């Protein structure tokens, strides 16, 4: 294979490894080995090692290593354009192949938060889906980072916001009222003396923290890094937190505390690229999620 880069023509190159090209694109898009690794579930050292080997096979550098991350060389920038073209053609081919499906079979990748996976999709959706479509495989991609559906990081996503860009199909699955919730042992406790549970999601904002800071004066006594941790900390009686009222149905010991306004409503949206919406395997999962998660709106 020969590749023309600007005015320079390289000699024959080894056959490209598509997995390394995908990894190259992720590093190019995120700007660092560590960010690309987080999105793909790889160690930073693994990404660095594979990209060094990739450059060695090419016989040239495609990244400049900087203290703040990576930057594409001029050759790397042009290579990125070529690789994105290859990616687009591969996606188009897969869409055409998928269009020939007649039954729901094969792999569907669903991006969602861990809490929705643990308390909603796994117990309430997947068993029925497996019964109806035994040739279907599901990969749950649990993260608070937003999967890029446009670049096929996932086939479907459940999100707490409605996307406004991209050629996507969206449907609101459920609206979730929120409230200050705690174990019943804290009933009657003065709000100013109530231990609070905060959520820290790294660089991502957490709605609960702003609401708690506005309505209750004390700082959180406990801080967790996931909503599964938040739910379990409240169930364990460690304190109170702003949560979806549907959590009350999970445990009879949980109660809604009075004395503060209810929190904002959360909207859970189902999202998929328009080109995949009618593919049988994606459509089967779409309908299962849309019909199976309505219980989240209910509360005692």
């Amino acid at each position: 294979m020969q590749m023309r880069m600007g005015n320079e023509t390289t000699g024959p190159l080894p056959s490209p490894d598509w997995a390394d090209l995908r990894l190259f694109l992720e590093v190019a898009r995120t700007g660092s080995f560590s960010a690309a690794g987080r999105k793909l579930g790889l160690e930073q050292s693994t990404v660095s090692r594979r990209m060094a080997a990739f450059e060695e096979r090419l016989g040239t550098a495609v990244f400049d290593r900087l203290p703040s991350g990576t930057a594409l060389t001029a050759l790397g920038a042009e290579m990125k354009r070529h690789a994105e073209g290859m990616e687009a053609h591969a996606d188009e081919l897969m869409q055409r192949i998928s269009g020939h499906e007649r039954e729901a079979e094969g792999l569907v990748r669903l991006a969602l938060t861990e809490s929705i996976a643990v308390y909603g999709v796994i117990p309430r959706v997947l068993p029925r889906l497996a019964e109806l479509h035994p040739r279907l495989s599901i990969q749950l991609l649990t993260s608070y980072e937003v999967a890029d559906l446009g670049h096929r990081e996932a086939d479907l996503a459940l999100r707490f916001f409605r996307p406004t860009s991209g050629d996507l199909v969206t449907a609101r699955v459920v609206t979730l009222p929120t409230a200050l919730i705690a174990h019943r042992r804290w009933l009657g406790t003065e709000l100013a003396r109530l231990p609070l549970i905060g959520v820290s999601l790294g660089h991502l904002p957490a709605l609960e923290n702003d609401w708690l800071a506005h309505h209750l004066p004390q700082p959180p006594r406990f801080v967790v890094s996931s909503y599964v941790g938040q739910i379990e900390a409240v169930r364990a009686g460690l304190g109170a937190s702003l949560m979806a009222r549907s959590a009350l149905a999970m445990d009879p010991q949980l109660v809604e505390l009075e004395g503060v306004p209810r929190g904002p409503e959360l909207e859970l949206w189902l999202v998929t690229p328009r080109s995949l919406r009618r593919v049988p395997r994606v459509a089967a999962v779409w309908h299962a999620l849309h019909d199976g998660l309505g219980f989240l709106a209910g509360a005692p």
Side-chain angles (χ1 to χ4, degrees):
M1 179 180 81
Q2 285 193 333
M3 185 178 295
R4 181 176 297 277
M5 298 295 184
N7 295 321
E8 176 185 358
T9 302
T10 70
L13 294 177
S15 296
D17 183 325
W18 184 236
D20 283 342
L21 280 174
R22 290 265 190 193
L23 184 56
F24 161 76
L25 282 174
E26 200 58 59
V27 176
R29 288 164 178 158
T30 60
S32 76
F33 295 146
S34 57
R38 283 194 300 272
K39 294 197 74 171
L40 298 175
L42 299 173
E43 295 292 334
Q44 185 270 344
S45 58
T46 300
V47 177
S48 179
R49 183 175 65 252
R50 283 177 56 180
M51 287 297 93
F54 181 63
E55 289 176 315
E56 184 176 353
R57 289 195 299 274
L58 293 175
T60 187
V62 294
F63 294 112
D64 286 326
R65 275 71 170 173
L66 307 173
S68 59
T70 62
L72 288 169
T73 64
L75 184 65
E78 190 156 353
M79 185 172 176
K80 176 174 179 283
R81 290 194 291 273
H82 282 276
E84 287 180 330
M86 295 170 63
E87 179 185 53
H89 286 303
D91 285 343
E92 182 181 357
L93 173 61
M94 293 310 298
Q95 290 169 24
R96 289 181 178 275
I97 293 172
S98 297
H100 291 284
E101 291 181 18
R102 294 296 178 266
E103 299 179 3
E105 59 180 309
L107 176 66
V108 176
R109 298 163 301 158
L110 171 63
L112 70 172
T113 64
E114 186 181 21
S115 56
I116 294 295
V118 170
Y119 300 115
V121 173
I122 292 175
R124 302 293 288 266
V125 176
L126 293 191
R128 179 62 174 160
L129 189 61
E131 180 183 348
L132 290 175
H133 304 286
R135 300 175 67 180
L136 198 62
S137 299
I138 307 295
Q139 181 181 5
L140 299 182
L141 307 172
T142 55
S143 173
Y144 296 109
E145 301 284 349
V146 176
D148 189 341
L149 298 180
H151 288 107
R152 296 299 188 268
E153 292 179 358
D155 303 305
L156 291 141
L158 285 167
R159 295 177 175 170
F160 283 102
F161 64 94
R162 184 179 187 179
T164 56
S165 62
D167 191 18
L168 303 172
V169 179
T170 64
R172 184 168 52 197
V173 177
V174 69
T175 299
L176 303 171
T178 63
L180 185 65
I181 293 175
H183 191 281
R184 63 174 57 254
R185 63 178 288 194
W186 297 107
L187 280 173
T189 302
E190 183 183 349
L191 290 178
R193 300 173 60 85
L194 186 68
L196 302 179
I197 298 169
V199 179
S200 175
L201 303 177
H203 64 281
L204 298 175
L207 170 69
E208 296 78 4
N209 297 338
D210 292 339
W211 188 91
L212 289 173
H214 182 75
H215 292 286
L216 297 168
Q218 65 274 32
R221 182 179 298 178
F222 302 98
V223 177
V224 295
S225 61
S226 74
Y227 288 112
V228 171
Q230 176 204 39
I231 293 169
E232 294 307 316
V234 171
R235 293 179 69 186
L238 296 179
S241 192
L242 181 72
M243 298 167 57
R245 293 190 72 249
S246 55
L248 297 171
M250 293 172 47
D251 192 328
Q253 297 301 310
L254 296 182
V255 295
E256 179 180 346
L257 300 180
E258 299 180 351
V260 290
R262 283 189 175 177
E265 290 187 335
L266 304 175
E267 292 185 336
L268 184 63
W269 291 85
L270 185 54
V271 187
T272 192
R274 189 174 304 278
S275 60
L276 295 181
R277 173 64 183 87
R278 301 301 177 187
V279 173
R281 68 179 186 277
V282 174
V285 179
W286 174 284
H287 289 300
L289 293 168
H290 193 274
D291 297 341
L293 294 176
F295 78 96
L296 291 172

